[in-house]
Every structure is written in C-alpha cells, then in structure tokens.
Amino acid sequence: MKKQKLLVAKIGGNIIEDKNALESFLKDFSKAKGPKILIHGGGKSATKLASRLGVKTEMIDGRRITSADNLEIVVMTYAGLLNKTIVSGLQKYNCNALGLTGADANVIVADKRPAQFVDYGYVGDVTNVSGKTIKGFLELGITPVFCAVTHDKNGQLFNTNADTIASEVASAMGTHYEVSLFYCFELQGVLENIDDKESVIECIDLERYTELRDTEAISDGMLPKLKNCFDALQKNVRKVHIANADFIKDNTIKHTTLSL
Amino acid sequence: MKKQKLLVAKIGGNIIEDKNALESFLKDFSKAKGPKILIHGGGKSATKLASRLGVKTEMIDGRRITSADNLEIVVMTYAGLLNKTIVSGLQKYNCNALGLTGADANVIVADKRPAQFVDYGYVGDVTNVSGKTIKGFLELGITPVFCAVTHDKNGQLFNTNADTIASEVASAMGTHYEVSLFYCFELQGVLENIDDKESVIECIDLERYTELRDTEAISDGMLPKLKNCFDALQKNVRKVHIANADFIKDNTIKHTTLSL
C-alpha cells in the first residue's frame, strides 16, 4: 500500500525572531495539505533572556553549554514563550497545533551527552522517538509542534538541537509515512560559493556531500545540518529540502534537494 | 450506563514551589487509578521571574494585572518551566503526562476580560472547553496537565486563573465521566475559625455556602475558590474536595467536601 505523505518542517531563528516573518510562515504552513509536523529552535531568544537575567551564555562550535540555569532559560523560552506563540499562531489559521517537548506523552527520550572533550551540561542525545504516539496525534487531525527540549524519563529535561530533533522525528515517522523533511533556511539553499547567494547547489547526493565535506567547500555551520539530513535519508526519510521559507507555499523556487 | 470515574486535581504554589512536596505529590498522583487530569498554578514563580527581569507585578484582589510583559513571563513560567517540570516529573513515575495550554489542540478558548472597573490586561475568561478532545487524550492513556494559560483562537494567549480552569475542565468532563474535583490546599480544608487549623468544616452544601458568604465567616481569599467549586457542582461535577495534598493517597483524612 502506498504510504500517505507527511511534511516535517523545521524553522529557526531567522523566522522565529521576526514577528512578521513568523506570522507569514505560520499562515503558509497551515495551508499545507495533509498531515504535518513543525519543529522549532529558538537559540537567539534564549540568549537574550539569559542576558536579561545575568546568566552567562557559552557556545562551543555553535552548541550551547547548558548549565542548570541555562536549562531553565531554554525550557522557559522554547517550551513556553516560543512554542505557545507558534501554537496559538497556527490555531488562528485553523491548524490544530499541539505543542510538545520530548517529555510530553513521552515522545522523545534522550540520554545526557557524556562529558568527554567538552561537558555540554544538560544536553540530551535522542535515543527514542515514539512514532506510534505521534501517528496517533496526526490521526486525530493534530499538528505536533516540537520545541528543542527532551527528557530522560527519569525527571530530567534536556536541551537538544532542533535540527537533530527534526531529523530524528522525520526518521521515526518514515516507517508510517512517505516523509519529506524541509529545513527552512535564511538563504535559498546550500551555496557553492558563500559570497554568491545565487550559487545554490540544487542537488546534493551522498557522493557530493562527502566531496563537499572533505574539500571543506562549505561552511562549518552547514556541516552538522547536512549530517542531520543524510542521517534522516539513511533512516526512512524520502526527501530532504534546504530552502527559504517561501518553499512552503511554492516548491518550484530554487532550493537544495538532498538524496542518497 | 454507569459513567467511568475521573479525577481532576488542582495544585498551587504551596506544592509547586517546594521541590520535595512536588516530587512527593507527583509520585502519589501518578499512583491514582483510572483516568486523571492535573491543573497547576504558578503565580509565585511568575512574580519571582518578573522581579528578576525588573517587570512590575500588580495584583488586585489576588488577581494579576497582566500587561504584555507580564503575559510573556506567565507563559514562560506556567507553560514552560513549571508545566514541563511537572510533566517530566510524572513521566518518571510512568504517568503518561501531556502538558497543555488552552491553545494546544484548541482545548480551552477564552475571551479577553473586558476592562470595566479594573483593566486586568491579558486575562481570559473561559468560553469553551473541548471535552471531546480531552476525552480523546484520556482514551489514549494520556494524563493531561493544564497550566493557567488560554487563547482566543485568534493568536492571542491569556492568563487565566488556575482554580477557574480546574472548575471549567471538570465541568466539561462531567458529560463524559463521573468527575470528582480535588483542590489541593495548604491547610486541611475550609476553616470555621481561621486561627484554629483544626476547625475544618467537613461538609459545605449550597445553603451553608450562602450562609458563610453572607455572614463573612470565611476569608476573602476562600470565597472565589468556593464559587469555583459550586460552579462546577452546578455543571455536572459530582463531588468537590478541598483538602491537603495527602488526600491524594488517603481520602479518609479530615477535609472539606462540597456538594449541592
């Protein structure tokens, strides 16, 4: 039997931090047909709140070192303000959104990342996504909206990278649906030449990815994103797109498609 | 056909603000048999965060005047930190909790309270609770955990009193279940004499309530709580109990039961 299509979209700071861009994206996303899931980050907001509270923010390779104080800030910002702003924003457009951390309905369980070269603090690496529970929500006509918070099933919440959550959720749903994963990006896609915004690489397969990685042709920040994409493709996800927000309403615009 | 029993419990600051009391309550609550729903407040935490952020907190008759800045604080605290601490705390004890604001799955819709004698700001009065959606969650084995945030289905979040949410949710569920509503209280129950903690009034019916109200025999803070109780009793709720947290594990301890 042909599987039903499922859209998994991830948005980051460039959309979330801009009230008009967010409103416009949520309006377009709510119109996307069929079952869908949204994942959001929110690092910039967390950093701003930390600064207002006099809590130090420390990043290593773009990853937040999450002390107990930082974790509280992350949970307040991601699961509280941003998640509920997005959920109520989608409800406005008749998209029946349900905000989730990994702890809610036990949908995403993680292990605390072991302190090796770097102690990231309360950062969780995903160990299980309950595709069955998420499918149950989708079948009720609900659109799950995940923030970047997981738990260990033992009372501890964690900060977990939103790109990774998107990849893991998309993979878990691949058993039940034909999943396309869309990473919403500030640019048009992955650039061949970082100084030329028009130099979008339209197709990246595993061979091209390995080549780009080994020749250091793409920026450091892009590499973990691409790794998440190929992780998803290798675990049941049909297609991954890295594209500008407008892709949600017009999938013919120039963008990057990743495939194996 | 006999309706299935449903427990609706509400906890406030005296439990939430005390880490050990909260852990102990969540452990006991998770053991309560059958379908159940938890509602929590969190005003003290919101006031603390407001103070750290230099945002003024203004209360009139125990109700928070909710400016735009206060609303952000309320959403961060209630829907973020407190709700997710409670949800992950319940998951630890194998209670499949799901944190909800009114916006999530559109379960509680409210109207902005009109500014009459007092302008309460972003405070919502409940206009609809979707008992059907909540029943759907319960039938999936999920325990809904509501914080005191609602929405207007038009993108606006509101601060809504947690006691009122408990009363409204309990009433909405009364169509489907035999509901008992438990307001967790710092004392043993409603006191006859505020200076004597042992003077618990064990039964209050409508007549006694009217008498207590008219003779000003009970404290001002207790009156809106009792009003919420009788509102619920008049709308499908079978029994209401005002009792200490220990009531969750031992319903034979001294407490106040309200009935029509």
Side-chain angles (χ1 to χ4, degrees), chain B residues 48-75:
Chain B
K48 263 189 232 162
L49 180 61
S51 154
R52 286 179 69 192
L53 290 170
V55 172
K56 204 176 87 178
T57 296
E58 201 184 339
M59 309 284 280
I60 292 185
D61 294 336
R63 304 276 161 146
R64 187 177 306 266
I65 305 293
T66 310
S67 66
D69 283 349
N70 284 121
L71 181 68
E72 287 204 354
I73 288 163
V74 156
V75 174

mmCIF file of all heavy atoms in Angstrom, chain B residues 48-75:
data_model
loop_
_atom_site.group_PDB
_atom_site.id
_atom_site.type_symbol
_atom_site.label_atom_id
_atom_site.label_comp_id
_atom_site.label_asym_id
_atom_site.label_seq_id
_atom_site.Cartn_x
_atom_site.Cartn_y
_atom_site.Cartn_z
ATOM 1 N N LYS B 48 8.379 35.960 40.950
ATOM 2 C CA LYS B 48 9.838 35.935 41.132
ATOM 3 C C LYS B 48 10.568 36.276 39.836
ATOM 4 O O LYS B 48 11.515 37.067 39.838
ATOM 5 C CB LYS B 48 10.282 34.515 41.568
ATOM 6 C CG LYS B 48 10.461 34.360 43.068
ATOM 7 C CD LYS B 48 11.116 33.010 43.369
ATOM 8 C CE LYS B 48 10.307 32.251 44.383
ATOM 9 N NZ LYS B 48 10.598 30.810 44.431
ATOM 10 N N LEU B 49 10.127 35.674 38.735
ATOM 11 C CA LEU B 49 10.782 35.945 37.456
ATOM 12 C C LEU B 49 10.587 37.405 37.061
ATOM 13 O O LEU B 49 11.527 38.057 36.582
ATOM 14 C CB LEU B 49 10.254 35.002 36.357
ATOM 15 C CG LEU B 49 10.878 35.198 34.965
ATOM 16 C CD1 LEU B 49 12.390 34.951 34.968
ATOM 17 C CD2 LEU B 49 10.219 34.286 33.920
ATOM 18 N N ALA B 50 9.388 37.928 37.290
ATOM 19 C CA ALA B 50 9.119 39.335 36.973
ATOM 20 C C ALA B 50 10.090 40.234 37.734
ATOM 21 O O ALA B 50 10.666 41.170 37.171
ATOM 22 C CB ALA B 50 7.672 39.679 37.320
ATOM 23 N N SER B 51 10.281 39.893 38.999
ATOM 24 C CA SER B 51 11.173 40.703 39.817
ATOM 25 C C SER B 51 12.615 40.640 39.290
ATOM 26 O O SER B 51 13.305 41.653 39.179
ATOM 27 C CB SER B 51 11.059 40.235 41.267
ATOM 28 O OG SER B 51 12.228 40.505 41.975
ATOM 29 N N ARG B 52 13.071 39.436 38.891
ATOM 30 C CA ARG B 52 14.427 39.298 38.331
ATOM 31 C C ARG B 52 14.581 40.090 37.039
ATOM 32 O O ARG B 52 15.671 40.561 36.707
ATOM 33 C CB ARG B 52 14.746 37.829 38.044
ATOM 34 C CG ARG B 52 15.034 37.009 39.296
ATOM 35 C CD ARG B 52 15.329 35.556 38.951
ATOM 36 N NE ARG B 52 16.597 35.386 38.254
ATOM 37 C CZ ARG B 52 16.977 34.264 37.638
ATOM 38 N NH1 ARG B 52 16.170 33.215 37.635
ATOM 39 N NH2 ARG B 52 18.150 34.186 37.027
ATOM 40 N N LEU B 53 13.470 40.218 36.287
ATOM 41 C CA LEU B 53 13.525 40.913 34.996
ATOM 42 C C LEU B 53 13.181 42.400 35.138
ATOM 43 O O LEU B 53 13.142 43.125 34.152
ATOM 44 C CB LEU B 53 12.570 40.260 33.995
ATOM 45 C CG LEU B 53 12.976 38.867 33.502
ATOM 46 C CD1 LEU B 53 11.843 38.229 32.708
ATOM 47 C CD2 LEU B 53 14.239 38.952 32.637
ATOM 48 N N GLY B 54 12.916 42.835 36.380
ATOM 49 C CA GLY B 54 12.583 44.245 36.597
ATOM 50 C C GLY B 54 11.215 44.615 36.041
ATOM 51 O O GLY B 54 10.981 45.768 35.668
ATOM 52 N N VAL B 55 10.312 43.634 35.951
ATOM 53 C CA VAL B 55 8.944 43.905 35.469
ATOM 54 C C VAL B 55 8.029 43.982 36.693
ATOM 55 O O VAL B 55 8.068 43.117 37.564
ATOM 56 C CB VAL B 55 8.472 42.797 34.500
ATOM 57 C CG1 VAL B 55 6.993 42.953 34.156
ATOM 58 C CG2 VAL B 55 9.323 42.820 33.229
ATOM 59 N N LYS B 56 7.233 45.028 36.731
ATOM 60 C CA LYS B 56 6.350 45.273 37.879
ATOM 61 C C LYS B 56 5.210 44.246 37.944
ATOM 62 O O LYS B 56 4.607 43.920 36.924
ATOM 63 C CB LYS B 56 5.755 46.677 37.762
ATOM 64 C CG LYS B 56 5.303 47.287 39.082
ATOM 65 C CD LYS B 56 4.818 48.718 38.893
ATOM 66 C CE LYS B 56 3.348 48.723 38.518
ATOM 67 N NZ LYS B 56 2.786 50.083 38.371
ATOM 68 N N THR B 57 4.948 43.719 39.144
ATOM 69 C CA THR B 57 3.795 42.835 39.344
ATOM 70 C C THR B 57 2.727 43.598 40.110
ATOM 71 O O THR B 57 3.002 44.163 41.168
ATOM 72 C CB THR B 57 4.201 41.589 40.161
ATOM 73 O OG1 THR B 57 5.150 40.838 39.405
ATOM 74 C CG2 THR B 57 2.994 40.703 40.454
ATOM 75 N N GLU B 58 1.534 43.645 39.562
ATOM 76 C CA GLU B 58 0.443 44.359 40.224
ATOM 77 C C GLU B 58 -0.729 43.394 40.400
ATOM 78 O O GLU B 58 -1.155 42.748 39.444
ATOM 79 C CB GLU B 58 0.028 45.543 39.347
ATOM 80 C CG GLU B 58 -0.718 46.634 40.090
ATOM 81 C CD GLU B 58 -1.174 47.730 39.117
ATOM 82 O OE1 GLU B 58 -0.600 47.853 38.021
ATOM 83 O OE2 GLU B 58 -2.120 48.443 39.485
ATOM 84 N N MET B 59 -1.196 43.262 41.648
ATOM 85 C CA MET B 59 -2.306 42.352 41.934
ATOM 86 C C MET B 59 -3.484 43.166 42.459
ATOM 87 O O MET B 59 -3.294 44.095 43.250
ATOM 88 C CB MET B 59 -1.907 41.334 43.005
ATOM 89 C CG MET B 59 -0.606 40.590 42.779
ATOM 90 S SD MET B 59 -0.678 39.280 41.539
ATOM 91 C CE MET B 59 -1.423 37.961 42.503
ATOM 92 N N ILE B 60 -4.698 42.817 42.028
ATOM 93 C CA ILE B 60 -5.896 43.419 42.622
ATOM 94 C C ILE B 60 -6.798 42.271 43.065
ATOM 95 O O ILE B 60 -7.145 41.409 42.248
ATOM 96 C CB ILE B 60 -6.613 44.354 41.629
ATOM 97 C CG1 ILE B 60 -5.730 45.585 41.364
ATOM 98 C CG2 ILE B 60 -7.981 44.781 42.175
ATOM 99 C CD1 ILE B 60 -6.353 46.641 40.490
ATOM 100 N N ASP B 61 -7.134 42.244 44.350
ATOM 101 C CA ASP B 61 -7.933 41.145 44.929
ATOM 102 C C ASP B 61 -7.347 39.777 44.575
ATOM 103 O O ASP B 61 -8.088 38.866 44.210
ATOM 104 C CB ASP B 61 -9.391 41.210 44.440
ATOM 105 C CG ASP B 61 -10.094 42.457 44.966
ATOM 106 O OD1 ASP B 61 -9.665 42.981 46.012
ATOM 107 O OD2 ASP B 61 -11.066 42.898 44.321
ATOM 108 N N GLY B 62 -6.044 39.676 44.663
ATOM 109 C CA GLY B 62 -5.386 38.397 44.396
ATOM 110 C C GLY B 62 -5.279 38.030 42.926
ATOM 111 O O GLY B 62 -4.798 36.955 42.587
ATOM 112 N N ARG B 63 -5.714 38.915 42.037
ATOM 113 C CA ARG B 63 -5.648 38.634 40.595
ATOM 114 C C ARG B 63 -4.559 39.497 39.968
ATOM 115 O O ARG B 63 -4.449 40.681 40.274
ATOM 116 C CB ARG B 63 -6.989 38.939 39.913
ATOM 117 C CG ARG B 63 -8.172 38.204 40.519
ATOM 118 C CD ARG B 63 -8.301 36.810 39.963
ATOM 119 N NE ARG B 63 -9.126 35.959 40.825
ATOM 120 C CZ ARG B 63 -9.926 34.994 40.383
ATOM 121 N NH1 ARG B 63 -10.016 34.739 39.110
ATOM 122 N NH2 ARG B 63 -10.626 34.254 41.216
ATOM 123 N N ARG B 64 -3.771 38.861 39.081
ATOM 124 C CA ARG B 64 -2.635 39.533 38.465
ATOM 125 C C ARG B 64 -3.085 40.439 37.319
ATOM 126 O O ARG B 64 -3.803 39.995 36.422
ATOM 127 C CB ARG B 64 -1.683 38.458 37.917
ATOM 128 C CG ARG B 64 -0.343 38.951 37.368
ATOM 129 C CD ARG B 64 0.507 37.750 36.929
ATOM 130 N NE ARG B 64 0.628 36.813 38.047
ATOM 131 C CZ ARG B 64 1.641 36.815 38.909
ATOM 132 N NH1 ARG B 64 2.642 37.638 38.744
ATOM 133 N NH2 ARG B 64 1.658 35.959 39.910
ATOM 134 N N ILE B 65 -2.657 41.691 37.374
ATOM 135 C CA ILE B 65 -2.872 42.586 36.235
ATOM 136 C C ILE B 65 -1.823 42.167 35.200
ATOM 137 O O ILE B 65 -0.623 42.237 35.459
ATOM 138 C CB ILE B 65 -2.671 44.069 36.622
ATOM 139 C CG1 ILE B 65 -3.556 44.453 37.819
ATOM 140 C CG2 ILE B 65 -2.909 44.980 35.435
ATOM 141 C CD1 ILE B 65 -5.034 44.458 37.547
ATOM 142 N N THR B 66 -2.279 41.714 34.039
ATOM 143 C CA THR B 66 -1.371 41.061 33.098
ATOM 144 C C THR B 66 -1.070 41.959 31.896
ATOM 145 O O THR B 66 -1.787 41.944 30.893
ATOM 146 C CB THR B 66 -1.959 39.701 32.666
ATOM 147 O OG1 THR B 66 -2.348 38.966 33.843
ATOM 148 C CG2 THR B 66 -0.939 38.891 31.903
ATOM 149 N N SER B 67 0.009 42.725 32.018
ATOM 150 C CA SER B 67 0.495 43.542 30.899
ATOM 151 C C SER B 67 1.124 42.608 29.862
ATOM 152 O O SER B 67 1.285 41.409 30.127
ATOM 153 C CB SER B 67 1.558 44.514 31.407
ATOM 154 O OG SER B 67 2.688 43.766 31.844
ATOM 155 N N ALA B 68 1.496 43.142 28.706
ATOM 156 C CA ALA B 68 2.153 42.317 27.674
ATOM 157 C C ALA B 68 3.420 41.677 28.249
ATOM 158 O O ALA B 68 3.691 40.487 28.014
ATOM 159 C CB ALA B 68 2.471 43.173 26.452
ATOM 160 N N ASP B 69 4.210 42.449 29.005
ATOM 161 C CA ASP B 69 5.431 41.902 29.610
ATOM 162 C C ASP B 69 5.099 40.806 30.622
ATOM 163 O O ASP B 69 5.773 39.777 30.685
ATOM 164 C CB ASP B 69 6.224 43.003 30.332
ATOM 165 C CG ASP B 69 6.995 43.871 29.351
ATOM 166 O OD1 ASP B 69 7.076 43.500 28.163
ATOM 167 O OD2 ASP B 69 7.504 44.926 29.781
ATOM 168 N N ASN B 70 4.062 41.031 31.430
ATOM 169 C CA ASN B 70 3.648 40.015 32.413
ATOM 170 C C ASN B 70 3.152 38.750 31.727
ATOM 171 O O ASN B 70 3.396 37.649 32.211
ATOM 172 C CB ASN B 70 2.523 40.548 33.312
ATOM 173 C CG ASN B 70 3.036 41.513 34.364
ATOM 174 O OD1 ASN B 70 2.618 42.654 34.408
ATOM 175 N ND2 ASN B 70 3.959 41.067 35.196
ATOM 176 N N LEU B 71 2.469 38.931 30.599
ATOM 177 C CA LEU B 71 1.964 37.756 29.880
ATOM 178 C C LEU B 71 3.126 36.875 29.410
ATOM 179 O O LEU B 71 3.091 35.656 29.551
ATOM 180 C CB LEU B 71 1.100 38.176 28.684
ATOM 181 C CG LEU B 71 0.501 37.005 27.898
ATOM 182 C CD1 LEU B 71 -0.541 36.250 28.723
ATOM 183 C CD2 LEU B 71 -0.111 37.471 26.583
ATOM 184 N N GLU B 72 4.178 37.516 28.875
ATOM 185 C CA GLU B 72 5.361 36.740 28.449
ATOM 186 C C GLU B 72 5.925 35.947 29.630
ATOM 187 O O GLU B 72 6.294 34.779 29.497
ATOM 188 C CB GLU B 72 6.448 37.665 27.891
ATOM 189 C CG GLU B 72 6.124 38.218 26.528
ATOM 190 C CD GLU B 72 7.369 38.637 25.745
ATOM 191 O OE1 GLU B 72 8.485 38.593 26.324
ATOM 192 O OE2 GLU B 72 7.221 39.013 24.570
ATOM 193 N N ILE B 73 5.994 36.603 30.771
ATOM 194 C CA ILE B 73 6.533 35.964 31.975
ATOM 195 C C ILE B 73 5.645 34.795 32.411
ATOM 196 O O ILE B 73 6.129 33.714 32.756
ATOM 197 C CB ILE B 73 6.695 37.020 33.096
ATOM 198 C CG1 ILE B 73 7.878 37.932 32.746
ATOM 199 C CG2 ILE B 73 6.869 36.366 34.471
ATOM 200 C CD1 ILE B 73 7.919 39.226 33.505
ATOM 201 N N VAL B 74 4.346 35.024 32.379
ATOM 202 C CA VAL B 74 3.375 33.989 32.743
ATOM 203 C C VAL B 74 3.521 32.774 31.809
ATOM 204 O O VAL B 74 3.552 31.627 32.262
ATOM 205 C CB VAL B 74 1.944 34.582 32.692
ATOM 206 C CG1 VAL B 74 0.889 33.512 32.488
ATOM 207 C CG2 VAL B 74 1.661 35.382 33.956
ATOM 208 N N VAL B 75 3.621 33.028 30.512
ATOM 209 C CA VAL B 75 3.710 31.927 29.548
ATOM 210 C C VAL B 75 5.038 31.174 29.727
ATOM 211 O O VAL B 75 5.063 29.940 29.717
ATOM 212 C CB VAL B 75 3.532 32.443 28.102
ATOM 213 C CG1 VAL B 75 3.760 31.331 27.091
ATOM 214 C CG2 VAL B 75 2.135 33.033 27.919
#
